[in-house]
Amino acid sequence: MNDSVSYLEFLKFCLNDGIPAPECAKNINWHSLLEFGVKHTISGLFAPTILLKNGKLKREDFKDNKPSDEDVMEWVFEDYRLRKLNQNMFERAGKAAEWFAENGFRNCILKGQGNALMYPDPGLRTPGDIDIWLEGGREKILEFTTKYYNKHASKIHVDFPMFKDAPVEVHFTPSTLKNPFTNKKLQRYFISLADAQFTNKATTPDGKISFCTPTTDFNVVYQLIHLYRHLITRGIGLRQVIDYFYLIRKRKEEGFTEDDNRRLRADMKRFKLLKFAGAISYILHEMLGLGKEYLVVPPDKKEGVFILNEILEGGNFGKYERRIEESLEKTEGHFKRFLVLEAFNFRLLSHYPSEVMWMPILDLKRSWKNHHLEDDD
């Protein structure tokens, strides 16, 4: 954890202009920092600073801990790799948006390359897949997509492998909540604001590629729900928190009033997100250096420390979570493994009961459905 604290201090320095280099820069292991960055899919945020491309770190700051030639080459390669990946993903996102529009579906790109456009250098966000929200609803969308690929669909999306080198998820809705009563309110919210999302055009810095992305205030609520949902199910990645950092900063740059903040807080309260929003505010302010004047919800230190620990334990979307894996490795039998998973999920019950209490019911329902789907094959 001590190394993680140093890496977070250095990350804060990389994200913000005008602050001095932290003391930890004198003894950071640059290769281990790269491993941390890759684990949390944020390596590109360190690269310009280490390679002296953005002026944040001066050569004299390296005098006690100069990266070796091998360190430099590792970071040069990582910088190049991410830029190439982003170039490809922007092209693919643009083509996907254009193709679906030509086939009668207004759409917008959720998260992903839309978030990259909020970064000071869009080429250095670690890309994921392409999430594209189509207008029309589940039935109409599946009727169209199954003409090309007959994939099993979740409540939110269906995989649509239109590219060999870029996974695509076609969304019927941006997201869902497990609490069915709160989820109904959320779906009405998405529908009420859909038109603005399908007409909000964004363009890459070179002006060559364009696609629609969510409006900023819609994104403030939607991406908070995305973080919340992944905490409940799989785990949050630091990349998604940093996406939110740049989103909130963009909102400040665009201008907002306290009335705008009150409206967003009312939306968050309606979806039972205020406590979680306070935790994310704490991480944005204390850990990443975002000024309090940017925040929609006041920081909640106690909850923020808890959520930060969850992020650091699990890595990107829980892929490095060992607490549950070690228990599952020792457990035999489908039902016993199910109980282990639910017991682990219940660590969140006192924090977010509105969602967690519904998990066993929905997981049992999904498990039963998947079992019968397998029997039908």
Side-chain angles (χ1 to χ4, degrees), residues 161-226:
M162 60 191 299
F163 307 116
K164 291 182 178 180
D165 56 357
V168 177
E169 292 182 353
V170 172
H171 280 246
F172 324 121
T173 178
S175 192
T176 61
L177 291 168
K178 291 188 178 294
N179 183 320
F181 305 104
T182 311
N183 187 52
K184 283 185 180 180
K185 297 177 184 177
L186 178 64
Q187 299 312 311
R188 287 197 294 267
Y189 171 82
F190 286 149
I191 291 169
S192 71
L193 298 175
D195 185 68
Q197 317 316 310
F198 296 134
T199 55
N200 187 49
K201 190 76 73 175
T203 305
T204 54
D206 60 12
K208 294 180 179 180
I209 301 168
S210 63
F211 43 77
C212 290
T213 62
T215 58
T216 301
D217 276 8
F218 179 94
N219 246 343
V220 168
V221 175
Y222 158 60
Q223 293 204 39
L224 185 68
I225 291 169
H226 178 67

Side-chain angles (χ1 to χ4, degrees), residues 18-134:
I19 62 175
E23 285 295 310
C24 64
K26 295 178 180 179
N27 51 35
I28 277 181
N29 181 306
W30 303 111
H31 174 76
S32 295
L33 178 65
L34 178 58
E35 291 181 334
F36 174 85
V38 170
K39 173 181 176 179
H40 291 281
T41 59
I42 58 169
S43 52
L45 298 171
F46 297 114
T49 300
I50 294 168
L51 298 174
L52 303 177
K53 287 186 175 182
N54 60 6
K56 283 191 171 70
L57 197 66
K58 300 177 177 59
R59 292 195 180 275
E60 53 265 30
D61 293 318
F62 277 141
K63 64 181 180 180
D64 296 319
N65 188 26
K66 183 180 179 182
S68 67
D69 291 343
E70 185 177 345
D71 290 330
V72 171
M73 287 310 301
E74 282 187 329
W75 283 98
V76 167
F77 177 78
E78 183 67 3
D79 181 271
Y80 175 80
R81 183 184 73 86
L82 290 174
R83 291 184 188 281
K84 292 293 288 185
L85 277 174
N86 274 291
Q87 180 182 349
N88 179 68
M89 292 298 285
F90 276 124
E91 291 172 359
R92 294 292 185 253
K95 287 181 180 178
E98 182 180 12
W99 188 79
F100 280 111
E102 288 172 352
N103 282 278
F105 293 91
R106 292 198 301 172
N107 59 79
C108 77
I109 301 295
L110 301 169
K111 312 185 305 293
Q113 298 314 109
N115 280 348
L117 292 176
M118 295 186 287
Y119 282 51
D121 186 340
L124 292 179
R125 181 186 183 272
T126 302
D129 51 16
I130 295 170
D131 294 88
I132 184 167
W133 177 24
L134 305 189

